[in-house]
Amino acid sequence: MKYLHTMVRISNIDESIDFYCAKLGLREVRRFDNEGGRFTLIFLAAGDNETALVELTYNWDPQEYSEGRNFGHLAY
């Protein structure tokens, strides 16, 4: 079994990229926009290690996340 990524829901791409990349030092590996599903996935890595990623999920339609709803899943 291989660990793939942890998914976190976000409500603002620019603020999230600033936090995860500028402040925590992660780097964006790839980005995927899904027009049909109305969401964007952004995958971040620590340094050159792309074996365990952080997936930021941005839903285009406004939603409020509370009480841990912003955490999505661990992927193996």
Side-chain angles (χ1 to χ4, degrees):
M1 183 181 317
K2 179 182 175 185
Y3 170 79
L4 299 174
H5 64 263
T6 298
M7 186 273 265
V8 177
R9 297 179 195 279
I10 60 172
S11 58
N12 184 298
I13 290 177
D14 293 333
E15 288 178 4
S16 297
I17 292 296
D18 179 62
F19 174 75
Y20 286 98
C21 295
K23 294 181 174 67
L24 291 183
L26 300 178
R27 66 180 177 82
E28 186 172 329
V29 175
R30 66 183 177 275
R31 188 179 291 217
F32 173 73
D33 292 319
N34 184 309
E35 291 186 28
R38 300 190 49 75
F39 63 86
T40 298
L41 303 179
I42 304 166
F43 292 90
L44 308 175
D48 292 331
N49 182 358
E50 294 184 19
T51 61
L53 301 172
V54 174
E55 173 193 318
L56 303 180
T57 299
Y58 173 74
N59 293 308
W60 299 358
D61 300 314
Q63 296 181 10
E64 287 200 28
Y65 302 116
S66 61
E67 303 299 321
R69 176 73 175 103
N70 62 322
F71 175 77
H73 62 257
L74 297 173
Y76 286 90

